[in-house]
Amino acid sequence: MATFDPEKSGSGFLHHSNDARNRKDFWDLAKAMGEDGAKIYSSSGGMKETVVSGENVIAINIIGSYALDWVKESPNLGVHFASDYTPAFSRLALITKDAPHSNAAKLFVDYMLSAEGQALLAEGGLPSVREDVTAGLNIKTLNERVGGGLKPIAVDEGVLEYMDQMKRVQFLNDWKAALGR
Protein backbone atom coordinates (compact mmCIF):
# COMPACT_ATOMS: atom_id res chain seq x y z
CA MET A 1 0.00 0.00 0.00
CA ALA A 2 1.26 3.44 -0.95
CA THR A 3 0.20 6.89 0.20
CA PHE A 4 1.60 10.38 0.46
CA ASP A 5 4.20 11.34 3.04
CA PRO A 6 2.59 14.44 4.59
CA GLU A 7 5.96 15.60 5.85
CA LYS A 8 7.53 15.69 2.38
CA SER A 9 4.54 16.44 0.18
CA GLY A 10 2.38 19.55 0.38
CA SER A 11 -0.38 17.78 -1.56
CA GLY A 12 -0.10 14.82 0.77
CA PHE A 13 -0.33 17.03 3.83
CA LEU A 14 -3.40 18.74 2.37
CA HIS A 15 -5.08 15.41 1.55
CA HIS A 16 -4.36 13.78 4.91
CA SER A 17 -5.17 16.82 7.05
CA ASN A 18 -8.40 17.35 5.10
CA ASP A 19 -9.35 13.73 5.71
CA ALA A 20 -8.51 14.12 9.40
CA ARG A 21 -10.95 17.04 9.56
CA ASN A 22 -13.69 15.30 7.55
CA ARG A 23 -13.51 11.59 8.38
CA LYS A 24 -14.24 10.34 11.87
CA ASP A 25 -12.31 7.18 11.04
CA PHE A 26 -9.19 8.84 9.57
CA TRP A 27 -6.87 7.83 12.42
CA ASP A 28 -8.27 4.28 12.34
CA LEU A 29 -7.47 4.18 8.63
CA ALA A 30 -3.97 5.54 9.27
CA LYS A 31 -3.39 2.85 11.93
CA ALA A 32 -4.65 0.16 9.55
CA MET A 33 -2.25 1.44 6.88
CA GLY A 34 0.56 1.24 9.43
CA GLU A 35 -0.38 -2.31 10.41
CA ASP A 36 -0.36 -3.22 6.72
CA GLY A 37 3.15 -1.78 6.30
CA ALA A 38 2.11 1.15 4.10
CA LYS A 39 4.93 2.90 2.32
CA ILE A 40 4.94 6.67 2.02
CA TYR A 41 5.98 8.72 -1.00
CA SER A 42 6.54 12.36 -1.82
CA SER A 43 4.74 12.29 -5.17
CA SER A 44 1.87 10.72 -7.07
CA GLY A 45 4.32 9.65 -9.77
CA GLY A 46 6.38 7.69 -7.27
CA MET A 47 3.27 5.90 -6.04
CA LYS A 48 2.13 5.16 -9.60
CA GLU A 49 5.45 3.54 -10.49
CA THR A 50 5.29 1.22 -7.49
CA VAL A 51 1.76 0.11 -8.35
CA VAL A 52 2.63 -0.41 -12.03
CA SER A 53 5.67 -2.50 -11.03
CA GLY A 54 3.67 -4.56 -8.52
CA GLU A 55 5.66 -3.40 -5.51
CA ASN A 56 2.40 -1.98 -4.12
CA VAL A 57 -1.09 -3.10 -5.08
CA ILE A 58 -2.88 0.12 -4.14
CA ALA A 59 -2.15 3.83 -3.77
CA ILE A 60 -4.43 5.85 -1.49
CA ASN A 61 -5.17 9.59 -1.88
CA ILE A 62 -3.35 9.84 -5.17
CA ILE A 63 -4.18 12.94 -7.23
CA GLY A 64 -7.27 11.94 -9.23
CA SER A 65 -6.64 13.92 -12.42
CA TYR A 66 -3.26 12.20 -12.75
CA ALA A 67 -4.71 8.77 -11.97
CA LEU A 68 -7.46 9.16 -14.58
CA ASP A 69 -4.81 9.89 -17.21
CA TRP A 70 -2.58 7.01 -16.06
CA VAL A 71 -5.30 4.38 -16.45
CA LYS A 72 -5.52 5.33 -20.13
CA GLU A 73 -1.86 4.40 -20.69
CA SER A 74 -1.46 1.52 -18.21
CA PRO A 75 -3.95 -1.32 -18.69
CA ASN A 76 -3.02 -2.86 -15.32
CA LEU A 77 -4.20 0.23 -13.40
CA GLY A 78 -7.68 1.13 -12.22
CA VAL A 79 -9.21 4.01 -10.30
CA HIS A 80 -11.72 3.76 -7.48
CA PHE A 81 -13.36 6.66 -5.68
CA ALA A 82 -14.62 6.44 -2.10
CA SER A 83 -18.38 6.15 -1.76
CA ASP A 84 -18.72 8.63 1.12
CA TYR A 85 -16.90 11.55 -0.50
CA THR A 86 -14.07 12.37 -2.84
CA PRO A 87 -12.01 15.43 -1.89
CA ALA A 88 -10.84 17.74 -4.63
CA PHE A 89 -8.38 20.56 -4.22
CA SER A 90 -8.70 23.88 -5.93
CA ARG A 91 -6.12 25.34 -8.24
CA LEU A 92 -5.97 29.01 -7.41
CA ALA A 93 -4.98 32.05 -9.43
CA LEU A 94 -4.30 35.20 -7.45
CA ILE A 95 -3.40 38.74 -8.42
CA THR A 96 -1.46 40.70 -5.84
CA LYS A 97 -2.85 44.06 -4.85
CA ASP A 98 0.27 45.86 -6.12
CA ALA A 99 0.85 43.78 -9.26
CA PRO A 100 2.87 45.83 -11.78
CA HIS A 101 0.60 44.73 -14.67
CA SER A 102 -2.69 44.12 -12.88
CA ASN A 103 -4.83 44.72 -15.99
CA ALA A 104 -2.86 42.11 -17.94
CA ALA A 105 -3.21 39.72 -14.99
CA LYS A 106 -6.98 40.31 -14.90
CA LEU A 107 -7.20 39.62 -18.63
CA PHE A 108 -5.24 36.38 -18.15
CA VAL A 109 -7.51 35.23 -15.30
CA ASP A 110 -10.58 36.15 -17.37
CA TYR A 111 -9.18 34.04 -20.23
CA MET A 112 -8.45 31.10 -17.92
CA LEU A 113 -12.06 31.18 -16.73
CA SER A 114 -13.55 31.64 -20.22
CA ALA A 115 -15.04 28.69 -22.11
CA GLU A 116 -11.98 28.65 -24.41
CA GLY A 117 -9.48 28.74 -21.57
CA GLN A 118 -11.35 26.11 -19.57
CA ALA A 119 -11.61 23.87 -22.65
CA LEU A 120 -7.83 24.02 -23.06
CA LEU A 121 -7.31 23.15 -19.40
CA ALA A 122 -9.80 20.27 -19.67
CA GLU A 123 -8.08 18.95 -22.80
CA GLY A 124 -4.85 18.99 -20.78
CA GLY A 125 -6.39 16.81 -18.06
CA LEU A 126 -7.62 19.36 -15.50
CA PRO A 127 -11.37 19.33 -14.95
CA SER A 128 -13.14 22.51 -16.03
CA VAL A 129 -15.04 24.54 -13.45
CA ARG A 130 -17.56 25.35 -16.19
CA GLU A 131 -20.40 22.93 -16.92
CA ASP A 132 -20.67 24.24 -20.50
CA VAL A 133 -17.20 22.93 -21.35
CA THR A 134 -17.55 19.49 -22.93
CA ALA A 135 -13.88 18.71 -23.66
CA GLY A 136 -12.52 16.36 -21.01
CA LEU A 137 -14.16 16.51 -17.60
CA ASN A 138 -16.05 19.45 -16.17
CA ILE A 139 -17.21 19.93 -12.60
CA LYS A 140 -20.54 18.15 -13.31
CA THR A 141 -19.11 15.20 -15.23
CA LEU A 142 -16.31 14.84 -12.68
CA ASN A 143 -18.86 14.64 -9.88
CA GLU A 144 -20.74 11.98 -11.86
CA ARG A 145 -17.45 10.08 -12.48
CA VAL A 146 -16.70 9.91 -8.74
CA GLY A 147 -20.21 8.72 -7.88
CA GLY A 148 -21.73 12.04 -6.84
CA GLY A 149 -19.59 12.56 -3.75
CA LEU A 150 -17.22 15.26 -4.99
CA LYS A 151 -16.38 17.57 -2.11
CA PRO A 152 -13.92 20.35 -2.95
CA ILE A 153 -11.53 21.20 -0.13
CA ALA A 154 -12.74 24.61 0.99
CA VAL A 155 -10.27 27.44 0.69
CA ASP A 156 -11.06 28.92 4.10
CA GLU A 157 -9.69 29.12 7.63
CA GLY A 158 -9.96 25.34 8.02
CA VAL A 159 -7.31 24.72 5.38
CA LEU A 160 -4.96 26.92 7.44
CA GLU A 161 -5.58 25.05 10.72
CA TYR A 162 -2.40 22.99 10.47
CA MET A 163 -0.27 25.97 9.48
CA ASP A 164 -0.11 26.66 13.21
CA GLN A 165 3.30 25.13 13.97
CA MET A 166 2.15 23.34 17.13
CA LYS A 167 -0.85 21.77 15.37
CA ARG A 168 1.27 20.81 12.35
CA VAL A 169 3.88 19.11 14.54
CA GLN A 170 1.14 17.33 16.51
CA PHE A 171 -0.50 16.13 13.28
CA LEU A 172 2.80 14.80 11.91
CA ASN A 173 3.62 13.10 15.25
CA ASP A 174 0.15 11.51 15.33
CA TRP A 175 0.63 10.39 11.72
CA LYS A 176 3.99 8.76 12.48
CA ALA A 177 2.56 7.08 15.59
CA ALA A 178 -0.42 5.75 13.63
CA LEU A 179 1.91 4.30 11.01
CA GLY A 180 4.15 2.84 13.73
CA ARG A 181 7.20 4.92 12.87
Side-chain angles (χ1 to χ4, degrees):
M1 179 181 307
T3 194
F4 275 116
D5 180 344
E7 200 164 22
K8 294 182 180 169
S9 167
S11 296
F13 186 83
L14 177 63
H15 284 293
H16 292 321
S17 62
N18 179 69
D19 277 354
R21 286 191 319 274
N22 288 284
R23 296 185 61 95
K24 294 176 188 165
D25 63 348
F26 173 76
W27 292 112
D28 294 332
L29 175 62
K31 288 176 187 167
M33 287 192 289
E35 291 168 4
D36 192 55
K39 297 175 185 166
I40 52 177
Y41 298 86
S42 61
S43 71
S44 292
M47 288 188 273
K48 172 203 170 196
E49 294 306 317
T50 68
V51 174
V52 169
S53 73
E55 178 183 341
N56 289 306
V57 295
I58 188 171
I60 296 175
N61 268 351
I62 200 159
I63 296 174
S65 58
Y66 299 166
L68 290 170
D69 279 345
W70 294 336
V71 297
K72 294 174 190 172
E73 64 191 46
S74 298
N76 64 331
L77 292 179
V79 177
H80 175 76
F81 297 96
S83 58
D84 55 352
Y85 83 100
T86 299
F89 57 84
S90 300
R91 298 179 187 256
L92 305 175
L94 306 170
I95 303 170
T96 60
K97 165 170 67 170
D98 298 325
H101 305 286
S102 60
N103 286 335
K106 289 174 189 173
L107 288 171
F108 179 71
V109 170
D110 285 346
Y111 177 74
M112 280 193 334
L113 295 173
S114 72
E116 182 182 5
Q118 287 293 295
L120 289 170
L121 289 170
E123 288 168 12
L126 296 177
S128 171
V129 296
R130 297 176 60 120
E131 290 185 18
D132 62 336
V133 170
T134 57
L137 292 170
N138 65 38
I139 195 72
K140 182 179 179 187
T141 58
L142 177 60
N143 190 42
E144 291 166 357
R145 174 70 173 86
V146 303
L150 189 66
K151 184 177 178 184
I153 298 170
V155 181
D156 62 11
E157 301 83 28
V159 82
L160 297 175
E161 177 181 354
Y162 293 107
M163 294 302 102
D164 175 274
Q165 193 63 23
M166 296 289 286
K167 287 184 179 183
R168 183 178 182 85
V169 168
Q170 185 63 54
F171 178 88
L172 293 172
N173 287 340
D174 291 346
W175 170 256
K176 290 174 190 172
L179 265 61
R181 300 194 168 129

